[in-house]
Amino acid sequence: MIKIYHNPRCRKSREGLELLEKSGKEFEVVKYLEEIPTKEELRSVINCLNIKPENLVRKNEAIWKEKYRGRLLSDEDVLEAMINYPKLIERPIVVNGNRAVIGRPKEKINEVLSH
């Protein structure tokens, strides 16, 4: 099942959701600000993306700049930051099986739709 980690207030996330809707494929919407992912779920997504946890962080968010920028953080520290402040999680993320993409630009989502 395809899954999109979505923030309805984000234009890029809404564009990604629209692309999925037009694809005609079944998918699940996870409003991650309301349904905060577990650490294990975030780890799984990061593994599918094949990135370091820090690469999933929105570094321009005020909370990142205030609390974390310039600090030496372990992967665990970064995961904890995203769980404590889910607004830090980049969006949208689309997962299909063991593949995932960050949907920026939204066309990247097509890379996982055919899987």
Side-chain angles (χ1 to χ4, degrees):
M1 166 74 73
I2 298 169
K3 189 182 283 193
I4 181 170
Y5 290 85
H6 175 60
N7 177 348
R9 298 189 68 196
C10 171
R11 181 177 56 87
K12 296 288 186 189
S13 196
R14 290 191 307 269
E15 289 173 0
L17 182 63
E18 183 180 351
L19 191 147
L20 280 177
E21 289 168 342
K22 288 179 178 176
S23 77
K25 297 186 181 282
E26 279 190 44
F27 62 93
E28 175 186 353
V29 177
V30 177
K31 294 181 182 177
Y32 66 91
L33 294 177
E34 298 168 14
E35 304 169 45
I36 300 170
T38 64
K39 191 181 288 189
E40 292 73 32
E41 190 176 358
L42 269 180
R43 261 197 206 101
S44 175
V45 168
I46 288 165
N47 286 338
C48 290
L49 287 165
N50 198 26
I51 61 173
K52 301 276 289 162
E54 193 170 328
N55 296 110
L56 192 58
V57 171
R58 297 173 52 84
K59 293 189 181 77
N60 285 328
E61 290 290 338
I63 196 74
W64 180 263
K65 291 177 181 178
E66 292 166 16
K67 289 188 168 272
Y68 302 102
R69 184 173 60 188
R71 291 183 48 206
L72 184 59
L73 302 170
S74 68
D75 288 351
E76 287 297 308
D77 293 335
V78 175
L79 286 168
E80 286 290 331
M82 288 188 282
I83 289 166
N84 292 329
Y85 304 99
K87 189 176 183 181
L88 291 175
I89 301 171
E90 188 60 79
R91 60 203 179 239
I93 304 165
V94 178
V95 180
N96 187 5
N98 62 354
R99 298 183 60 212
V101 294
I102 298 171
R104 289 173 171 261
K106 67 182 180 200
E107 291 76 18
K108 287 191 67 138
I109 293 170
N110 291 319
E111 294 174 17
V112 295
L113 288 182
S114 61
H115 184 266

